[in-house]
Amino acid sequence: MRYLYALITIFLFHGFVYGQGLSVSDLRVDNRQNPFTILGTSPKFSWKINSNKRNTQQISYRILVSENGADLQRNNGTVWDSKELDSSESIKIDYRGKALTAGKTYYWKVQIKDNYNRESRWSEVARFGVGLRTADWNGAKWITNAIMPDSLVDVLPKSEKKDTYWGNNQLPIIRKDFKLKSKKIKEAKLFISGLGHFEASLNGEKIGDHFLDAGWAKFDKEALYVTFDLTDKLKSGANTIGVMLGNGFYYIPPVKGRFRKQKVAFGYPKMIAKLKVDYTDGSSETIVTDESWKTANSPITFSSLYGGEDFDANLVQANWNKPGFNDKKWKKALVTTGPELHPQITEPVKVMDRFSPKSIHQTAAGNWIYDLGQNASGVVEISVKGKKGDTVRVYPGELLAENAVTQKHTGSPYYFQYVLKGDGVETWQPRFTYYGFRYLEVRGAIPQGKENTKSLPVMENIIGLHIRNSAQTVGSFNSSNTVFNQTDRLIDWAIRSNSVSVFTDCPHREKLGWLEQTHLMGPSLSYNYDFISLFKRTIQNMMTSQTADGLIPEIAPEFVEFTWGGDMFRDSPEWGSAGIIVPWYLYKWYGDEETMKDAYPMMKRYVKYLEGKAENHILKQGLGDWFDLGPKRPGVSQLTPMGVTGTAIFYYDLNILKEIAMKLGHHDDARYYTDLAEKVKKAFNGSFFNLATKQYATGSQTANAMAIYMNLVDEKDRAAVLENIIKDIRTRNNAHTAGDIGYRYLLRVLEEAGRSDVIFDMNSRSDVPGYGYQIAKGATALTESWEALPNVSNNHFMLGHLMEWFYSGLAGIGQEESSIAFNHVKIAPQIVGDVKFAKGTYQSVYGEIVSDWKIENEKTVLNVQIPANAKATVYLPIKESSTVLESGKALEKGDGVTSWVKKADKMLVEIGSGSYQFTIQ
C-alpha cells in the first residue's frame, strides 16, 4: 500500500501522466530509418508523435545514444544523454554527444512530453552507423584484373566523338579466402565499392538484395560505397568473399552490333573493400582488398547499360565463391587507384515487382512475343531447358511494330543473351544492365507447350523483374474520376521506371539525369515517395558536375558533353536552375537547411554564370519550353520564343537565392540578389510584355503562366494576363499547348487562382493530346510526348505535372506560405466538374496528412487528419446559406478548433493536430 501511495505521490509531484495515448515512432537519423551508414559524424534525429488527443504539441524531449542496446535498456546514454530539453522540435535535432567513431554502430531512443502533461514511454531502440573517412580505409586498395591505358580514358566525351577502336573488355570475378577466430562476433560490417557495379557474395550466397550497386556518380571525382551487416552470416574458420564486377557508367564498351548511346570511359571495372569484425571480448580483425585477392574471367561475356548483357553458363566455375575452391590458376589482382569514397545514402535499387506474361504470340519470323502488360524498367528472369551451347536471346521493347518488338527509337540493338550449359532447367537473370519494356521477343527458344519441330531450347518460364529505387511510398490518391485515377497510375509508372540511383529521363535510350524534371516534378515526386536521399544525391551530382566557370550542365552526373546544336543541350537555365530550386524544395518540404547550406557556393557560382551570359539581363540560350504542342514534331520550344522561359526562371532563381541568403545570414548577398532581380524584372517586362494586349511575347500559355507564377507581372495587370491564359485554353476547345517547362506553371497559376475548373476541363478527356489521349492509345507509363508518338520514348515522367494537382488541388493537401516541412498544413480541396469524391494522403516528416472529401445527399463531407506537432488551416467551400458542422456538431472553438473566419466563398478554420470531420450543408 505504501508503494502504491509513493507512486501516486511521484506522479502528482511531477504533474505528468505516463503513456496513455502518447507514443513516439518512426525514428530517423538524417531522414533515414536505421541507416547502416551516415554522412559525416553529426547526425540529425527525427521522430513522429502518435497521440489520441487533438492539438497535441511536444513540449520537451530526451534522447539517449549508446554503443549498445543493453545500455539503452538501462536508460544509460553512454555516448549522449541530452537530458530533458524544453523544445517542440521533433525533426532535425542536432547530435551533441561524444565524438563518434568511424565504422561503428550506435543505438538510440527518445522520450517526449506533451502539452497535456503526458510523458510517453521510451521509443523502440533504433540504430545508425557512422561512415568511413578516407583515412579509415586502413590500407584497403583498389584492385582490378586490368588497367585501362591512359590513351583510352575519356571521363567526359563529347557527344559527336567518333570511335577510334572496337573491342570488348573482360569482366572479372574476384575472390578472397580468410579465416576467423573461434570467438563470438559482436559486429561485422563489409564496406565495399565496385566501379561501375558490383555484386558481392559470402560463402556462395549473395549479400543483400540490391541491384546495380553502387550508385552512379561523377566517377573521376567520387565513388560510392555500400555497407552490409555480416554479423550473423560469418562463421568461425574458413570464409570466402566473392565479387562480380560490371561496367555500368564507368565504362561503355565499344562493341559492334550493340547499342552504345554514350562513350564514357573512366577505366576498366575495379573494386575496394574493407571487412571489419569486432568480437565480444573487445578484439577485432580486418580484411582489406590488396594484391592477395585472386581474379579470373567472369561468365558474363558482355555487359553494357546501353547494349544489354551476355552470359555463358559454360564459363561458370562451380563454387568459385565458396571456401575450399582451388584458385591456384587464378591470377593475383592488380592494384590500381580510385576516386574519393563516400557512403551511398540513397535507398538501394531492388527488384520491386514481377510481371508474368499476359499473352504470347508468334511473329512472322518465327520468334515469340511475350506481353507483360506493363511498360516498366527492368530485366528478365528466364528458366530454360536445352542442350549445351544452345543460345537464347531476349529482345525487350516498349512497343510492337508489325507484330514484333521494335527498339528503333529506344536504343538498338539491345538484348539479353544466355548460352546454356545443358544441365536441366537453367534459371538466369542479368546483373549489370536494365532496359524499359513491356514486350519481350524471344529468339532461339520456344514456349513450353508449343510444337517444337526444330528441337529448340524450351522456355519453361519468363518473367519481367521491375527494378527501381526502393524508397518508401509516402502518398496515395484516389477519386471518382476514372481518367484521373488512370493518369495517376500512368505518371507513377514513369516515376518508378526512372528512379534508380539518379532520376533518369528514360530507362532505355539514354538513362541520363536530366535536371529540369527534378524541380518541375519535384512536388509530384515528393507527394508519392520518400525521395529526400535521392534529391540530396542529385544535388551532390550537380556540385561535382558544375564546370569551372559555374555552369550547371543539363545532366548530372555529366557523363557526356552534349555538343549537338552548339551548347543547347548543355546550357539551358530551365535545367541548370535545379541547382537552386531543388535545395530550396528540400528545405521547404523536409526542413533540410544543411543541404541548402552545403549547396550555397554552387548556387552563387551558377547565378554568377547566368549573369555573365545574359544580354541586358535576358537569357536566350537553351531549349526553352521543350516538347510543347506546336505545329511541328516536338522538340525545342515552338510557341514560346527563346528568352522567355530562361529569363523568367533566372528571376525565380534570384528570388529564391535571396531568401536562402537571408536564411543563412548572408545579408550582403541577399541585397545583391534583390537588386539584380529588379533589373531582370524590368528587362523582362520591357522585352516581352505588351501593355495593350496584356500578353507576354507570343501570348503562349507558357509565357503568360510563367510571368504570373514568377511574380513578374505587375499586380494591376495580373488579372488580365490570367484571363488571357484561360481565353487561350477555351478557344482551343479546352486544350493546352505548354510543354516540359511551362505546363507545371500553367497548372500552378490556375490552381492558385481558384480555377481548377479549367484544369479539369483540360485533363478529364481523351480526345486531344494529353494524359487521357495517351491512355486511350494504350500507354501504361507516361510518354515523352503529349501525343504518345511511337518515335519517342514511351516511358518519361517529365510531363507528369498533373500529379501535383491531384494532391494539392483536387485532394487539397499543401502547406501555407510560411510553413516549413508541413508544420502548417493547408487543406484546400478544389471541388470541380463531376468529381464526387477525392482522397489524398501524404506522410510528412511529422506524420500522415489526410484530406478526404465526398459529395452525398447535397452535402460535402471533408475528413481531415493532421499529425501531432503540426497545425492546419482548412479552406471550406461555402455559400451564403451554408451551415458548417464539425463531427456532427455546430462549429465551435475548443477541442482542436482554434478559430475561423469567412472570406468570400471560403471559411478558413484553424485547427491543431488530430482527426476532424467537416460537413457543409
Side-chain angles (χ1 to χ4, degrees):
M1 186 70 180
R2 284 197 300 258
Y3 178 71
L4 178 61
Y5 177 77
L7 283 177
I8 294 172
T9 302
I10 290 170
F11 282 133
L12 290 175
F13 178 77
H14 287 287
F16 283 89
V17 179
Y18 191 67
Q20 296 193 3
L22 181 69
S23 63
V24 180
S25 63
D26 196 11
L27 275 63
R28 295 183 177 235
V29 175
D30 293 351
N31 291 107
R32 298 161 62 206
Q33 293 177 328
N34 297 319
F36 280 124
T37 312
I38 62 169
L39 280 170
T41 55
S42 301
K44 293 182 180 293
F45 301 96
S46 303
W47 54 86
K48 290 174 182 171
I49 301 167
N50 310 300
S51 173
N52 63 356
K53 288 182 177 289
R54 290 179 173 180
N55 199 27
T56 297
Q57 293 287 322
Q58 174 187 293
I59 63 170
S60 71
Y61 67 81
R62 182 185 177 193
I63 297 174
L64 299 179
V65 182
S66 181
E67 293 180 342
N68 60 72
D71 284 330
L72 282 187
Q73 295 300 326
R74 296 188 292 270
N75 295 336
N76 186 6
T78 57
V79 180
W80 184 37
D81 183 345
S82 71
K83 306 301 183 182
E84 184 178 346
L85 295 174
D86 293 336
S87 172
S88 63
E89 294 297 322
S90 57
I91 65 170
K92 298 288 184 180
I93 308 299
D94 289 320
Y95 172 77
R96 300 188 184 279
K98 297 177 182 178
L100 300 176
T101 302
K104 196 173 186 64
T105 298
Y106 294 89
Y107 301 85
W108 72 289
K109 63 180 182 179
V110 63
Q111 184 182 50
I112 68 165
K113 293 178 181 177
D114 74 358
N115 55 327
Y116 291 104
N117 295 330
R118 297 183 297 178
E119 183 178 75
S120 75
R121 298 181 184 276
W122 282 102
S123 69
E124 295 293 323
V125 173
R127 58 162 172 77
F128 65 94
V130 180
L132 301 182
R133 299 158 299 188
T134 301
D136 299 317
W137 284 85
N138 293 343
K141 301 173 182 178
W142 286 94
I143 58 174
T144 183
N145 67 330
I147 298 174
M148 180 176 286
D150 290 345
S151 60
L152 299 183
V153 174
D154 193 346
V155 301
L156 188 62
K158 295 185 184 299
S159 55
E160 82 279 9
K161 178 182 177 180
K162 304 298 182 184
D163 286 305
T164 57
Y165 74 101
W166 297 95
N168 193 17
N169 65 310
Q170 181 61 60
L171 293 174
I173 49 177
I174 300 176
R175 69 185 310 275
K176 174 66 176 179
D177 290 325
F178 60 96
K179 291 185 177 180
L180 294 180
K181 298 172 183 175
S182 297
K183 297 181 179 182
K184 185 175 181 180
I185 296 174
K186 176 184 177 183
E187 180 179 63
K189 284 184 178 180
L190 175 66
F191 306 91
I192 180 171
S193 178
L195 299 176
H197 295 298
F198 72 87
E199 182 178 291
S201 60
L202 176 66
N203 300 329
E205 297 293 328
K206 179 181 174 179
I207 298 173
D209 59 353
H210 302 181
F211 186 80
L212 293 183
D213 269 342
W216 303 335
K218 196 75 170 68
F219 294 125
D220 54 329
K221 297 181 179 179
E222 63 171 340
L224 306 180
Y225 69 87
V226 184
T227 306
F228 294 102
D229 183 357
L230 301 185
T231 305
D232 298 327
K233 299 185 182 302
L234 289 166
K235 58 186 181 181
S236 298
N239 292 269
T240 302
I241 291 176
V243 180
M244 302 182 77
L245 294 179
N247 288 315
F249 267 120
Y250 198 66
Y251 179 52
I252 308 296
V255 174
K256 291 183 178 181
R258 305 299 275 261
F259 178 61
R260 184 163 171 256
K261 174 72 174 181
Q262 312 301 346
K263 302 174 182 180
V264 69
F266 290 95
Y268 294 135
K270 63 184 71 170
M271 66 165 290
I272 188 171
K274 174 184 177 180
L275 174 62
K276 177 75 181 316
V277 181
D278 294 323
Y279 297 104
T280 55
D281 66 359
S283 64
S284 64
E285 54 185 313
T286 303
I287 293 92
V288 296
T289 45
D290 56 22
E291 51 276 319
S292 69
W293 290 51
K294 297 294 228 26
T295 180
N297 293 340
S298 170
I300 300 175
T301 57
F302 171 81
S303 182
S304 170
L305 281 174
Y306 288 126
E309 191 161 294
D310 300 348
F311 188 94
D312 189 341
N314 299 286
L315 301 179
V316 174
Q317 299 186 51
N319 301 318
W320 69 272
N321 52 359
K322 293 182 178 180
F325 176 79
N326 185 351
D327 62 8
K328 289 184 178 180
K329 293 183 179 180
W330 288 37
K331 66 179 183 179
K332 289 185 177 181
L334 300 175
V335 173
T336 185
T337 58
E340 185 174 328
L341 287 159
H342 297 137
Q344 177 171 288
I345 63 167
T346 59
E347 298 303 320
V349 176
K350 296 183 179 182
V351 173
M352 301 297 289
D353 284 288
R354 303 167 73 89
F355 294 108
S356 297
K358 303 297 183 185
S359 65
I360 305 173
H361 71 263
Q362 192 171 24
T363 69
N367 302 317
W368 291 92
I369 303 296
Y370 295 76
D371 180 1
L372 303 181
Q374 177 62 55
N375 190 3
S377 55
V379 294
V380 297
E381 179 184 274
I382 63 172
S383 294
V384 61
K385 185 175 183 179
K387 301 184 295 295
K388 180 182 179 67
D390 283 345
T391 300
V392 177
R393 287 185 182 179
V394 180
Y395 287 77
E398 294 184 320
L399 301 174
L400 299 179
E402 297 181 356
N403 220 27
V405 162
T406 177
Q407 298 176 340
K408 184 176 180 180
H409 302 286
T410 54
S412 175
Y414 179 104
Y415 56 84
F416 309 117
Q417 178 173 288
Y418 183 76
V419 180
L420 279 73
K421 187 177 181 180
D423 185 16
V425 177
E426 303 173 44
T427 299
W428 171 75
Q429 73 171 68
R431 287 178 168 86
F432 302 121
T433 187
Y434 75 101
Y435 204 69
F437 59 91
R438 170 179 173 173
Y439 303 97
L440 300 170
E441 181 171 326
V442 174
R443 303 180 187 179
I446 194 164
Q448 187 179 37
K450 300 294 183 180
E451 186 178 2
N452 193 359
T453 58
K454 296 182 180 180
S455 299
L456 293 173
V458 176
M459 187 66 70
E460 305 245 341
N461 193 30
I462 184 168
I463 59 175
L465 304 178
H466 166 52
I467 63 97
R468 66 170 171 87
N469 187 283
S470 58
Q472 292 180 350
T473 300
V474 295
S476 67
F477 167 80
N478 187 39
S479 76
S480 63
N481 188 290
T482 301
V483 172
F484 288 165
N485 295 340
Q486 291 174 333
T487 298
D488 183 63
R489 289 193 293 272
L490 190 81
I491 299 168
D492 185 42
W493 269 109
I495 290 173
R496 296 187 195 191
S497 299
N498 287 288
S499 302
V500 279
S501 56
V502 303
F503 293 114
T504 63
D505 58 332
C506 58
H508 34 63
R509 185 185 66 219
E510 290 188 351
K511 300 185 176 83
L512 296 175
W514 292 93
L515 292 174
E516 92 291 0
Q517 60 187 2
T518 62
H519 68 89
L520 292 166
M521 281 292 291
S524 297
L525 295 167
S526 299
Y527 273 124
N528 280 272
Y529 295 99
D530 185 11
F531 276 147
I532 181 171
S533 295
L534 195 50
F535 279 123
K536 291 173 75 169
R537 171 53 20 199
T538 299
I539 293 166
Q540 177 64 24
N541 288 335
M542 287 189 276
M543 292 167 65
T544 55
S545 296
Q546 188 174 31
T547 64
D549 60 359
L551 168 68
I552 298 176
E554 294 175 38
I555 57 172
E558 190 179 30
F559 293 133
V560 57
E561 181 181 335
F562 282 112
T563 52
W564 302 323
D567 62 358
M568 66 190 303
F569 286 99
R570 196 183 192 214
D571 179 10
S572 197
E574 304 88 343
W575 276 249
S577 292
I580 294 168
I581 300 171
V582 174
W584 177 245
Y585 279 177
L586 286 194
Y587 173 63
K588 291 292 289 182
W589 278 71
Y590 307 105
D592 186 353
E593 186 176 333
E594 186 177 38
T595 299
M596 193 166 63
K597 186 184 301 181
D598 292 342
Y600 188 69
M602 171 185 68
M603 301 181 203
K604 288 186 65 176
R605 291 177 58 215
Y606 184 57
V607 162
K608 194 68 177 176
Y609 172 83
L610 293 179
E611 187 180 0
K613 290 280 290 190
E615 299 177 13
N616 297 319
H617 304 297
I618 301 295
L619 291 170
K620 296 182 179 180
Q621 75 268 30
L623 300 172
D625 192 22
W626 181 249
F627 265 60
D628 60 350
L629 277 166
K632 302 176 182 177
R633 183 188 184 279
V636 176
S637 178
Q638 299 180 56
L639 303 180
T640 305
M642 301 305 295
V644 174
T645 56
T647 308
I649 213 155
F650 182 31
Y651 179 74
Y652 189 51
D653 291 344
L654 291 168
N655 281 286
I656 289 176
L657 199 48
K658 174 194 68 177
E659 295 294 329
I660 293 173
M662 290 292 291
K663 179 67 182 176
L664 299 181
H666 303 300
H667 300 291
D668 288 343
D669 288 352
R671 283 189 289 271
Y672 180 82
Y673 298 133
T674 300
D675 292 343
L676 182 55
E678 284 304 309
K679 294 174 183 176
V680 172
K681 180 176 181 178
K682 182 178 180 181
F684 183 87
N685 283 300
S687 298
F688 301 117
F689 187 55
N690 187 319
L691 190 59
T693 63
K694 307 297 183 183
Q695 301 270 21
Y696 279 85
T698 54
S700 69
Q701 295 170 13
T702 291
N704 286 332
M706 290 189 72
I708 292 178
Y709 185 85
M710 274 66 174
N711 290 315
L712 285 155
V713 184
D714 289 338
E715 190 60 36
K716 62 182 175 60
D717 299 317
R718 193 177 182 91
V721 177
L722 174 64
E723 188 56 38
N724 278 330
I725 293 173
I726 297 171
K727 181 180 178 181
D728 185 80
I729 293 169
R730 297 301 195 198
T731 57
R732 295 176 185 273
N733 190 26
N734 293 320
H736 67 81
T737 60
D740 179 21
I741 305 302
Y743 193 58
R744 187 207 173 219
Y745 300 118
L746 176 64
L747 296 176
R748 294 290 85 219
V749 165
L750 290 170
E751 181 189 320
E752 290 172 9
R755 295 307 305 270
S756 281
D757 59 310
V758 181
I759 297 175
F760 175 87
D761 292 339
M762 284 193 297
N763 293 286
S764 59
R765 57 194 303 188
S766 59
D767 59 327
V768 294
Y771 304 108
Y773 189 83
Q774 294 186 22
I775 294 166
K777 293 188 73 171
T780 59
L782 187 67
T783 75
E784 185 177 11
S785 67
W786 288 119
E787 307 99 311
L789 297 173
N791 58 353
V792 297
S793 165
N794 275 247
N795 199 335
H796 250 65
F797 74 74
M798 73 179 188
L799 295 175
H801 314 108
L802 191 66
M803 179 176 273
E804 181 180 359
W805 176 76
F806 289 153
Y807 284 87
S808 65
L810 196 56
I813 297 176
Q815 58 178 331
E816 293 291 344
E817 187 66 30
S818 61
S819 171
I820 302 298
F822 286 81
N823 62 359
H824 188 174
V825 180
K826 179 180 182 180
I827 301 293
Q830 297 195 13
I831 301 173
V832 292
D834 61 358
V835 183
K836 299 301 181 184
F837 69 82
K839 179 179 181 180
T841 69
Y842 170 59
Q843 191 70 237
S844 75
V845 293
Y846 288 101
E848 188 173 46
I849 301 166
V850 178
S851 178
D852 179 6
W853 63 264
K854 61 181 177 181
I855 299 173
E856 58 180 9
N857 300 324
E858 298 183 355
K859 297 178 182 179
T860 301
V861 179
L862 172 63
N863 290 291
V864 174
Q865 180 178 316
I866 304 301
N869 237 21
K871 61 182 180 179
T873 302
V874 182
Y875 293 70
L876 299 174
I878 60 171
K879 298 177 182 178
E880 188 70 29
S881 59
S882 294
T883 300
V884 176
L885 306 178
E886 195 285 301
S887 296
K889 300 177 182 179
L891 189 64
E892 59 182 21
K893 291 183 181 179
D895 195 19
V897 178
T898 58
S899 66
W900 67 85
V901 63
K902 290 184 179 181
K903 289 186 178 181
D905 61 347
K906 297 286 190 295
M907 176 182 283
L908 280 61
V909 185
E910 304 294 335
I911 61 174
S913 65
S915 297
Y916 302 79
Q917 184 181 80
F918 297 98
T919 302
I920 306 157
Q921 58 187 19

